[in-house]
Amino acid sequence: MIFAPTELTPAEERLRHEVREFLAAELPPDFRPGLGLGGRHDPEFSRRLAARGWVGMAIPTRYGGGGATPVERFVVVEELLAAGAPILAHWVAERQTAPTLLAFGTQEQREWFLPRIAAGECWFSLGMSEPDAGSDLASVRTAATKVDGGWLVNGTKIWTSAAHLNHFFVVLCRTSPAEDRHQGLSQLIVDLHAPGLKVSPIHYLDGGHHFNEVVFDDVFVPDDRVLGEVGAGWHQVTSELAYERSGPDRYLSVFGLLKAFVAEFGDSFDEARRAAVGRASAKLWTIRQLSLAVARSLERGAAPAVEAALVKDIGTLYEQEVVEVLRHVAGQEIDPGGAGMFERLLAEAVQTAPAFTLRGGTTEVLRSIAAKGLTGARR
């Protein structure tokens, strides 16, 4: 694994300040930041962001995007996440679906989807995990059977973020039997409002609704919605995960909580609180440098899947650690209806942080990927 040290260029730093000025103007003084998974679902904010050219930044200009580099996108996303901005509406489409369409989609798919994604008008979810497969994507059982003009899909997906709000999702399914379970998989673009498709909520402990179970009962998907090559789904989805696993969302989910803690207790820090914030800040900067290194690698055209897996593992464990450490040093009861911002965010974080190590691959799967990568490098 290679994490080459890198810094932002002067142009990239100027971009950072532009985003900060935009957020200062757009977000009200009493704005409550979102924690994790890109913040809250706000289509109007996504459209205003798109009008500045900050949605679909890596999409080429001929498809309505900004033609920006992965690092320029990194800068914008880092600022949005640090502010807890409400970017969930366009989040998956911009982060993951657009690069996948560029890499594997047909020209017709690119021309239809990419301008809509760049405008903040077309929202995607991911259809990967299943009840009996979890992060072991090679074990998926959702099956697509070839019929005249398309495919009939049957099965179940779980932990599908914002499926109750979004328009489409890219579904990994089995299109043919194979002795090697990594073969015979394909990706389909499925309309989340298609006949035969049922979306059911999976509630957080606090009653919040972000994840869903999606059940397919003979859902028809036309041939022109096959993404990439039939049978090449494993290769496509593993290369796609480099975008999902390595970004700032893997270490900034609880940054708003850390900021609120400093704002509330900073004038009366004892040694324990000072040490807790110091350790959290040092770890944050280290993980941030690893994530930035992956973005530079993507900029050079590499597919750093192993490095991305390591960043995701370290980052999400860090996020959970921050929640527990701040809960301990704050020394107060958890109160979702508390008067202060820190109290409210802490209650939300305690109830949602267990999901951090589920999304994008469990800890065990990610460490297996990293271990195999290191073993292969030594041979």
Side-chain angles (χ1 to χ4, degrees):
M1 289 182 282
I2 300 174
F3 292 95
T6 184
E7 295 182 357
L8 297 180
T9 66
E12 290 162 351
E13 288 289 359
R14 286 194 296 272
L15 176 61
R16 177 187 300 285
H17 290 293
E18 289 178 26
V19 179
R20 288 182 179 178
E21 291 173 358
F22 170 85
L23 291 172
E26 287 287 333
L27 301 180
D30 60 347
F31 172 73
R32 176 175 172 174
L35 296 180
L37 294 166
R40 290 168 174 78
H41 199 286
D42 185 340
E44 286 305 316
F45 182 85
S46 292
R47 294 186 185 104
R48 293 196 298 273
L49 199 65
R52 292 294 302 264
W54 293 335
V55 176
M57 291 182 66
I59 297 174
T61 55
R62 66 180 180 276
Y63 298 121
T69 69
V71 175
E72 289 171 328
R73 181 188 175 276
F74 175 98
V75 169
V76 172
V77 168
E78 187 175 44
E79 289 301 317
L80 293 171
L81 290 170
I87 59 177
L88 181 58
H90 69 269
W91 178 247
V92 168
E94 199 270 350
R95 175 190 68 180
Q96 202 155 338
T97 309
T100 303
L101 286 165
L102 286 167
F104 305 111
T106 65
Q107 188 61 24
E108 181 183 7
Q109 289 169 351
R110 293 170 185 165
E111 291 177 354
W112 198 91
F113 285 107
L114 292 178
R116 290 169 170 81
I117 291 173
E121 298 284 354
C122 186
W123 318 324
F124 271 78
S125 297
L126 300 175
M128 294 187 185
S129 297
E130 297 187 1
D132 297 322
S135 294
D136 183 11
L137 296 181
S139 297
V140 299
R141 297 180 181 177
T142 296
T145 304
K146 190 71 181 76
V147 296
D148 186 30
W151 303 79
L152 284 182
V153 184
N154 288 277
T156 303
K157 293 295 179 179
I158 201 167
W159 308 120
T160 309
S161 299
H164 59 301
L165 299 170
N166 291 339
H167 303 121
F168 299 93
F169 71 150
V170 176
V171 176
L172 180 68
C173 56
R174 192 161 293 283
T175 48
S176 64
E179 290 186 11
D180 182 347
R181 64 197 187 111
H182 297 90
Q183 304 301 316
L185 297 170
S186 304
Q187 288 184 296
L188 306 179
I189 302 173
V190 180
D191 188 333
L192 279 164
H193 301 91
L197 189 146
K198 181 181 179 183
V199 179
S200 301
I202 301 173
H203 291 291
Y204 283 125
L205 290 174
D206 63 358
H209 178 196
H210 177 83
F211 291 116
N212 300 272
E213 178 187 68
V214 182
V215 178
F216 304 81
D217 183 7
D218 277 348
V219 176
F220 178 74
V221 180
D223 282 325
D224 62 5
R225 291 291 169 87
V226 175
L227 178 55
E229 182 182 345
V230 173
W234 179 257
H235 165 69
Q236 293 175 195
V237 79
T238 51
S239 61
E240 175 184 341
L241 285 170
Y243 295 95
E244 180 184 358
R245 288 173 170 166
S246 63
D249 50 310
R250 298 312 183 191
Y251 57 88
L252 286 176
S253 295
V254 294
F255 187 67
L257 178 68
L258 183 60
K259 287 200 300 183
F261 178 80
V262 173
E264 185 164 329
F265 297 102
D267 293 335
S268 59
F269 268 7
D270 57 19
E271 187 60 33
R273 289 174 176 175
R274 186 178 297 108
V277 171
R279 284 194 295 268
S281 301
K283 289 184 178 180
L284 174 67
W285 188 253
T286 301
I287 299 167
R288 187 250 186 193
Q289 292 302 105
L290 296 176
S291 180
L292 178 57
V294 173
R296 284 284 186 221
S297 184
L298 290 169
E299 187 177 77
R300 294 191 296 269
V306 176
E307 289 87 344
L310 186 63
V311 171
K312 193 272 180 186
D313 179 31
I314 296 172
T316 52
L317 288 176
Y318 161 79
E319 290 175 328
Q320 291 178 333
E321 177 188 338
V322 168
V323 174
E324 286 304 303
V325 169
L326 294 185
R327 181 183 65 83
H328 175 72
V329 298
Q332 60 189 42
E333 293 293 327
I334 296 173
D335 183 5
M341 180 70 74
F342 174 74
E343 289 180 276
R344 298 195 296 273
L345 291 179
L346 179 62
E348 180 181 345
V350 167
Q351 295 178 92
T352 59
F356 292 170
T357 49
L358 292 176
R359 64 193 199 218
T362 64
T363 299
E364 293 79 8
V365 168
L366 294 168
R367 290 181 181 178
S368 176
I369 293 171
K372 289 177 181 178
L374 288 170
T375 301
R378 288 197 297 266
R379 288 175 178 170

